[in-house]
Amino acid sequence: MQMSIVEHSAARRQPAVIKANSLIEAKYKLSAREQKVLLFLISKLDSKSSNPGYVYQTHVDEIMQVLKDSGIKWGDAYTCFTEIIMLLKSKPISIHSDGELIMANWLGTVSLVEKSGVVKFSFDSLIAPFIFEIKKNFTKYPLRHVIKLRSTYSIRIYELLKQYARIGERKFDLMELRQVLGIEDDLYPRFFDFKKRVIEPAQKEIAEHTDIEFTFKKIKHKRTIVGIYFKIIFSDDSAASYYENGAQEVSNDSPTPQQENINKPSETKAKFSDKTDREKRLIERLEELKLDDWQIERIMTEVGAAAETGIWKLVNEIKMDNRDGRVKSNLGAYAAKRFDQFFALGFFD
């Protein structure tokens, strides 16, 4: 059966990578070059498509521009591209999905039209469910956020943390993280070396080139390091704006807290009348969550309204939980518990 050809414009402004979360967490080992070419090819797909058998089309010059933008200097473009494609076709990937272990290769067919530089490619049929017809449980990010990352570990760690950026934290079993990153048992066996060669360079690169940053700490069992805890922070003002605006969303089924209490003075608001506009907006959001005045005062004093604390993300998550019916009891009590868990404010001491 003849495959269909789907052409994508090279002028696409903001190419995005969209992967099912199972694919984000899959185990495989690729170099930074191979990952960038792979992510570029994924960015050419329509993730909503129901035609995973299609052969897609791009050009060698586009691919090489991606590598050039990432700071990699190469010689002959065709030779370099062929080398990467051959490696992508030969390196396996292991995906755990719905109790099943799937062993696959990344690419199906690849052809290079001689002299024209046109590249035609398709993905392995076993990979298709994780890049096509994606409606839920996926991670999306702009391709430009990983293009300048030089370390293969930086790219993988970025994806793993981006998946949980809205939550703001993620924990990993140390051995599991090493396996996901494709690190052999005899490479960086000491945590000191693993931290110095893998985690810290990724921390620096991700903060410099992407939309998130992270801090981390060791998880110990007795004296043994068994895991890593990552705190994920959005690193630009646009993220703060997103969560501030998102926090204003309310259900159309009931009046807003402002409508219910439009004439009710706020002692907390008066106490913080000398604060910035952002702090005043945060106080309004906290009041909407039915928190007590003393709780709001402690949040403002101990946490503040800066985006990097994760405060706006948490406010938005609680509002969405309430909107979606996940708050089964008193909203104020639910919100207080979430804030206490996230910031250790001592609300229930």
Side-chain angles (χ1 to χ4, degrees):
M1 181 179 66
Q2 185 176 5
M3 295 289 188
S4 300
I5 302 296
V6 180
E7 296 186 8
H8 289 265
S9 171
R12 192 174 174 183
R13 286 188 178 181
Q14 292 281 342
V17 178
I18 303 176
K19 290 182 178 181
N21 288 336
S22 297
L23 191 59
I24 293 284
E25 298 176 351
K27 297 176 182 178
Y28 58 89
K29 186 175 182 179
L30 298 175
S31 69
R33 295 172 179 177
E34 293 155 10
Q35 286 204 66
K36 289 174 184 179
V37 170
L38 175 67
L39 295 175
F40 168 78
L41 296 180
I42 291 176
S43 76
K44 303 291 288 184
L45 309 179
D46 178 2
S47 65
K48 297 180 181 179
S49 169
S50 60
N51 298 289
Y54 275 17
V55 173
Y56 284 74
Q57 181 168 302
T58 184
H59 197 281
V60 168
D61 288 347
E62 286 188 79
I63 299 169
M64 298 314 298
Q65 187 62 45
V66 168
L67 295 174
K68 179 181 176 181
D69 289 345
S70 70
I72 298 174
K73 295 181 180 180
W74 289 57
D76 180 73
Y78 295 94
T79 302
C80 297
F81 172 74
T82 302
E83 176 187 345
I84 291 176
I85 289 297
M86 292 301 293
L87 289 169
L88 285 176
K89 284 183 64 64
S90 64
K91 291 189 175 181
I93 175 174
S94 301
I95 309 170
H96 284 273
S97 178
D98 298 327
E100 182 180 5
L101 175 61
I102 301 169
M103 305 291 290
N105 292 316
W106 284 103
L107 298 177
T109 61
V110 179
S111 63
L112 178 62
V113 181
E114 294 181 359
K115 297 182 180 181
S116 72
V118 171
V119 179
K120 301 175 183 179
F121 67 94
S122 66
F123 282 84
D124 189 293
S125 61
L126 294 176
I127 295 291
F130 306 100
I131 53 178
F132 293 102
E133 293 190 273
I134 300 178
K135 297 182 176 64
K136 61 180 181 178
N137 299 326
F138 65 89
T139 297
K140 176 181 179 180
Y141 61 84
L143 178 65
R144 60 185 171 83
H145 283 166
V146 293
I147 289 305
K148 292 187 177 181
L149 299 181
R150 292 181 177 273
S151 166
T152 182
Y153 305 130
S154 298
I155 297 173
R156 291 302 312 278
I157 290 173
Y158 171 77
E159 288 189 328
L160 291 165
L161 297 185
K162 182 67 174 178
Q163 182 185 351
Y164 276 62
R166 182 172 165 272
I167 297 173
E169 60 182 353
R170 186 164 194 181
K171 297 178 182 179
F172 285 98
D173 174 85
L174 183 57
M175 292 305 298
E176 179 69 14
L177 179 59
R178 289 176 59 94
Q179 291 174 3
V180 169
L181 296 178
I183 299 176
E184 303 294 339
D185 292 342
D186 58 350
L187 185 62
Y188 315 134
R190 297 188 307 161
F191 183 82
F192 174 84
D193 296 321
F194 178 74
K195 179 182 73 170
K196 185 177 180 180
R197 301 296 183 183
V198 177
I199 303 299
E200 289 179 346
Q203 184 181 39
K204 181 179 179 181
E205 284 197 322
I206 288 171
E208 184 177 353
H209 297 298
T210 78
D211 57 338
I212 61 172
E213 302 175 16
F214 71 85
T215 59
F216 66 95
K217 62 182 180 181
K218 299 173 286 189
I219 300 173
K220 289 186 174 182
H221 177 66
K222 297 181 179 179
R223 295 186 178 182
T224 304
I225 300 171
V226 297
I228 304 180
Y229 168 85
F230 291 93
K231 176 80 171 178
I232 310 162
I233 306 161
F234 278 98
S235 59
D236 57 21
D237 290 337
S238 63
S241 174
Y242 169 81
Y243 283 105
E244 289 176 34
N245 294 332
Q248 296 174 20
E249 295 180 5
V250 294
S251 170
N252 293 326
D253 297 333
S254 58
T256 68
Q258 295 99 317
Q259 292 169 334
E260 292 178 343
N261 303 292
I262 193 165
N263 297 316
K264 182 179 178 181
S266 168
E267 295 178 7
T268 306
K269 212 176 293 182
K271 182 175 289 189
F272 287 96
S273 59
D274 60 336
K275 298 300 181 182
T276 66
D277 288 343
R278 176 175 288 186
E279 288 170 328
K280 291 176 182 178
R281 286 199 301 273
L282 178 57
I283 292 170
E284 292 177 355
R285 305 295 172 261
L286 297 175
E287 288 178 334
E288 291 171 13
L289 297 180
K290 306 289 187 175
L291 288 164
D292 293 335
D293 283 351
W294 71 271
Q295 292 171 330
I296 295 175
E297 182 176 351
R298 182 168 295 181
I299 291 170
M300 297 303 299
T301 302
E302 299 295 328
V303 182
E308 58 265 24
T309 65
I311 186 78
W312 291 101
K313 291 188 295 180
L314 184 58
V315 167
N316 197 37
E317 287 170 13
I318 295 170
K319 290 183 73 66
M320 288 191 291
D321 285 346
N322 187 45
R323 180 193 63 192
D324 296 340
R326 288 191 287 270
V327 179
K328 302 301 182 182
S329 57
N330 180 275
L331 175 59
Y334 177 85
K337 183 176 180 181
R338 289 290 305 277
F339 273 96
D340 195 56
Q341 290 173 335
F342 199 84
F343 294 112
L345 295 168
F347 286 164
F348 301 96
D349 291 348

